Amino acid sequence: MSADDVGRLPDSRAEVAFIGRSNVGKSSLINMLSNRKALARVSKKPGSTELLNCFEVEGVGTLIDCPGFGYAAKSARVRDATQRMVDRYMLERKQLTMVVLLVDGEIGPTKLDLEMLGWLRESGVPHSIVATKHDKLKAAQRGKRQRDVAVACNLAPGDIIWVSAAKGTGKDQLLSLVRVWLSLAP
Ligand code: GTP
Ligand code: MG
């Protein structure tokens, strides 16, 4: 189900939320983790996720697909209201055990990504970084890009989880992490 405010979310034991720029691949990643093609709505058109979309993993917890940030074609007013909703969710939701910030592995972290990362750090929200679209990098680019993304985020390369929803890269690694995060229920 979906909610337009943290106060209207359904009950859950524990939640892992996926955030990131519009089009970075949040919905695709949730589909990969759940072995489904179209559980979460995927679109070439950015800004297609507008609510907090909840996907219950039976008996374990809930994955939350959040609206993307920074979609320029939406009015500033809509963008601000949506971001406030997501920020409130991240600050207030007791069951939220991990926020997964997705960065586009093909283009690297943008200014907006780094602002969000700074906000997560300042706010003390538990977070992890996933770099998406690994399949879009040429083999020769991969090592350097992995180092560059880590340096930009002020992390070690091993701290960043690389995935490809298109190829299934990183799926097992991320699934075991998600299980651990969901087991941290309050
Ligand atoms: P919003 O809902 O707008 O915030 O976007 P989102 O972050 O949910 O992105 P979504 O999953 O809808 O994917 C956006 C586009 O990127 C789609 O065209 C996807 O097919 C494509 N995409 C997502 N993940 C991958 C990937 O691992 N590899 C490749 N090649 N394309 C991907
Ligand atoms: Mg989406």
Side-chain angles (χ1 to χ4, degrees), residues 1-4 9-10 15-18 27 30 39-41 48-56 62-67 85 89:
M1 72 156 279
S2 304
D4 62 357
L9 282 165
E15 288 167 9
V16 170
F18 296 85
S27 302
I30 287 180
L39 184 64
R41 182 163 163 229
S48 59
T49 306
E50 292 179 318
L51 300 165
L52 300 166
N53 292 315
C54 312
F55 301 98
E56 195 184 341
T62 308
L63 307 182
I64 309 280
D65 188 10
C66 294
M85 172 187 76
Y89 165 70

Side-chain angles (χ1 to χ4, degrees), residues 156-171:
D159 294 335
I160 305 213
I161 306 146
W162 280 80
V163 299
S164 162
K167 298 267 189 244
T169 313
K171 178 177 164 182

Side-chain angles (χ1 to χ4, degrees), residues 3-130:
D4 62 357
D5 189 70
V6 54
R8 281 185 279 277
L9 282 165
D11 252 3
S12 77
R13 268 185 74 248
E15 288 167 9
V16 170
F18 296 85
I19 66 166
R21 265 186 329 100
S22 255
N23 226 38
V24 72
K26 299 175 293 297
S27 302
S28 303
L29 187 67
I30 287 180
N31 288 333
M32 172 179 86
L33 292 175
S34 56
N35 283 325
R36 298 271 290 273
K37 284 214 170 71
L39 184 64
R41 182 163 163 229
V42 172
S43 171
K44 284 208 172 61
K45 188 174 137 283
S48 59
T49 306
E50 292 179 318
L51 300 165
L52 300 166
N53 292 315
C54 312
F55 301 98
E56 195 184 341
V57 190
E58 251 189 64
V60 185
T62 308
L63 307 182
I64 309 280
D65 188 10
C66 294
F69 51 78
Y71 177 40
K74 292 207 167 156
S75 73
R77 197 174 56 80
V78 169
R79 273 205 317 266
D80 289 353
T82 306
Q83 194 53 47
R84 271 200 304 278
M85 172 187 76
V86 179
D87 290 354
R88 228 177 12 250
Y89 165 70
M90 292 191 284
L91 292 172
E92 292 177 12
R93 187 72 167 165
K94 302 266 185 306
Q95 295 92 323
L96 178 61
T97 58
M98 188 58 68
V99 170
V100 181
L101 171 62
L102 275 63
V103 302
D104 191 320
E106 191 187 14
I107 59 176
T110 65
K111 186 164 166 276
L112 270 179
D113 296 332
L114 295 175
E115 279 172 17
M116 179 53 76
L117 180 57
W119 184 88
L120 290 167
R121 284 176 174 150
E122 277 165 27
S123 313
V125 175
H127 56 277
S128 297
I129 310 280
V130 162

